[in-house]
Amino acid sequence: QIVMDFKHPNGSSVPVMVPRRSLLVMGGESRYLWTHGITPRKFDVIQVSEGQKVEAVSGNTEALTLSKRGTRTSFTFRKIRHSPCKCAFPSVCDSQQEKKGGSPPLVGDLGAASLEKEYVHKVYEDIAGHFSSTRHTPWPRVVDFLRSLPMGSLVADVGCGNGKYLGVNKDLYMIGCDRSKNLVDICGEKEYEACVCDALSVPFRPGSFDACISIAVIHHFATEERRLAAIQELTGLLRKGGQVLIYVWAMEQEYNKKKSKYLKESSNEPLPLSSGADVNQDFSSKLPVHTNRTAFDSQDLLVPWHLKPKCQSKKSEASTGEEQLVPSSVYHRYYHVFREGELEALCRKLQDVTVQHTYHDQGNWCIILEKL
Ligand SMILES: C[S@@+](CC[C@H](N)C(=O)[O-])C[C@H]1O[C@@H](n2cnc3c(N)ncnc32)[C@H](O)[C@@H]1O
């Protein structure tokens, strides 16, 4: 038996126990509105029950037990449609969505700013301690870039997080900045130079940096205009001949027949047993909630973060700065995952840079630009 997770676009999730040798027929809402998938993990939390039947796993912890996964063979049969669809679920129906070049903007600029505030900035602020504890290892090709720079180079890390890259090459003068105060404080504790600012308005002198990096940040902007503005802000920091390295999360998590580490590593984070996603109603109909460690099926999505209880910081309230024990919760971060060629096409809109190199690394699209 195995647990299959059904997700509603409003963020609610229902784990359903599927016994061996069973047949699941999906139609109507369960087929079109809900998404379903099997999260890679070693154990499932299942209902203690007498018979073997398909049923939703309840939230009653006393009636639950762990079941070790074995080998699974499953077959999926789908009816293929050869004409446009007129189903009753237009908000999730490709045929009934307006077709334009590229991905349609989700929200206007104001909507984008409040989406980012709610689903990026607030989230990083709240998860900073836990997030930082999971971010130790610098990605080797980012390190190679930083090590390739001449001694004494002035380098900005925009969206530096916990400062993972600020100390990898002691021969550089590196300064970081990030929207999250709690993450910038963590950089300060490590004695790195960093300040709080938005990547759309970086308070460093334009044209003065030998190099910049922005790793896994630009995908948090909710419109193409804002992603381009963030890249322009980065390139504006560079002197003539200066270089910037940008990483964004890729839609293609399997590339050259190799799965990214993200897909390969099965998650240690349990999914909530019942609907726990407190997703803002305005956007919930448009933004699917991603199932961690699975392939992306949408470019704009909310990615759950399961905050470990001991890492929940209540710093935003007047506090002693001590961590407090509060029940575990699920946060959702907004991402726009980039398709192959999308980052390059965006960068080519800028007149004052040339594209030096683009590549796929660790499930990201990456680009090195040089300032003309
Ligand atoms: C996935 S983390 C990457 C952190 C770091 N670059 C790394 O590689 O470990 C994304 C970071 O971008 C920051 N961020 C998101 N939106 C931002 C914005 N508008 N301005 C500045 N930083 C932002 C977040 O606070 C977070 O630290």
Side-chain angles (χ1 to χ4, degrees):
Q1 58 205 0
I2 196 128
V3 169
M4 182 178 268
D5 297 297
F6 282 78
K7 293 196 171 203
H8 193 272
N10 71 5
S12 53
S13 145
V14 178
V16 174
M17 198 166 95
V18 184
R20 291 178 66 217
R21 305 180 71 79
S22 56
L23 173 71
L24 220 57
V25 182
M26 288 174 225
E29 193 171 299
S30 72
R31 164 68 183 86
Y32 295 105
L33 195 58
W34 292 72
T35 58
H36 60 270
I38 295 174
T39 308
R41 56 188 165 220
K42 298 204 166 70
F43 290 87
D44 284 306
V45 176
I46 59 160
Q47 200 84 36
V48 184
S49 62
E50 302 278 298
Q52 291 270 300
K53 55 178 192 256
V54 176
E55 60 182 348
V57 180
S58 81
N60 174 7
T61 47
E62 282 177 14
L64 300 177
T65 185
L66 279 181
S67 161
K68 193 171 190 319
R69 284 213 180 149
T71 304
R72 180 178 83 246
T73 307
S74 57
F75 298 94
T76 305
F77 301 93
R78 291 174 199 271
K79 262 196 201 162
I80 306 289
R81 178 182 299 283
H82 296 286
S83 56
C85 176
K86 295 189 186 104
C87 71
F89 310 100
S91 64
V92 290
C93 176
D94 292 343
S95 301
Q96 295 178 67
Q97 306 250 327
E98 222 184 323
K99 286 268 182 309
K100 289 190 196 139
S103 55
L106 263 177
V107 280
D109 197 57
L110 255 185
S114 54
L115 174 67
E116 290 159 19
K117 185 173 170 204
E118 193 65 25
Y119 292 105
V120 180
H121 309 161
K122 275 192 185 167
V123 177
Y124 278 106
E125 203 62 335
D126 285 355
I127 68 170
H130 183 204
F131 178 78
S132 176
S133 72
T134 64
R135 295 295 185 279
H136 325 276
T137 319
W139 286 335
R141 291 186 76 172
V142 180
V143 175
D144 288 348
F145 175 81
L146 292 171
R147 294 212 173 125
S148 72
L149 298 170
M151 182 187 266
S153 295
L154 179 61
V155 184
D157 181 353
V158 177
C160 62
N162 68 352
K164 194 170 87 174
Y165 293 106
L166 294 178
V168 301
N169 181 353
K170 303 276 185 243
D171 290 339
L172 305 177
Y173 184 78
M174 285 197 74
I175 179 156
C177 62
D178 198 282
R179 195 75 172 62
S180 159
K181 179 182 176 298
N182 289 341
L183 285 168
V184 167
D185 285 349
I186 293 172
C187 296
E189 284 159 19
K190 299 179 190 168
E191 304 201 335
Y192 295 141
E193 295 252 17
C195 67
V196 178
C197 73
D198 198 288
L200 291 176
S201 175
V202 178
F204 301 151
R205 183 180 296 165
S208 61
F209 282 80
D210 299 301
C212 297
I213 60 170
S214 187
I215 310 301
V217 182
I218 307 286
H219 51 216
H220 286 311
F221 287 97
T223 62
E224 188 179 304
E225 290 72 26
R226 291 170 73 80
R227 294 187 279 276
L228 183 62
I231 296 173
Q232 207 158 12
E233 187 70 11
L234 275 170
T235 58
L237 296 175
L238 294 174
R239 63 157 171 85
K240 218 172 151 188
Q243 289 188 323
V244 58
L245 171 66
I246 300 171
Y247 270 53
V248 290
W249 217 3
M251 179 89 179
E252 299 81 359
Q253 287 297 310
E254 196 169 335
Y255 191 66
N256 282 343
K257 300 198 177 141
K258 270 174 69 183
K259 284 189 177 169
S260 72
K261 214 169 159 231
Y262 174 74
L263 280 190
K264 279 194 284 192
E265 275 177 2
S266 86
S267 174
N268 297 324
E269 299 162 359
L271 282 167
L273 287 179
S274 60
S275 159
D278 179 17
V279 177
N280 182 328
Q281 287 304 310
D282 290 351
F283 302 113
S284 63
S285 61
K286 292 183 180 155
L287 287 175
V289 177
H290 175 61
T291 300
N292 285 333
R293 312 284 166 189
T294 61
F296 295 120
D297 48 20
S298 163
Q299 275 195 273
D300 294 280
L301 62 158
L302 296 174
V303 176
W305 180 277
H306 300 269
L307 187 62
K308 283 208 185 125
K310 65 175 166 30
C311 295
Q312 292 189 49
S313 159
K314 286 260 177 163
K315 275 192 178 165
S316 46
E317 294 166 21
S319 79
T320 56
E322 284 171 9
E323 287 180 338
Q324 304 182 3
L325 280 177
V326 278
S328 94
S329 38
V330 183
Y331 287 81
H332 291 88
R333 282 176 298 164
Y334 165 79
Y335 278 84
H336 171 83
V337 290
F338 282 62
R339 284 190 186 279
E340 182 164 16
E342 187 179 341
L343 178 62
E344 183 173 347
L346 200 57
C347 293
R348 287 201 187 275
K349 292 189 177 184
L350 301 175
Q351 306 292 313
D352 57 353
V353 287
T354 54
V355 175
Q356 294 284 298
H357 188 35
T358 64
Y359 57 97
H360 188 270
D361 180 33
Q362 310 265 359
N364 296 284
W365 289 112
C366 320
I367 198 160
I368 299 178
L369 305 173
E370 188 176 311
K371 182 81 170 271
L372 293 172

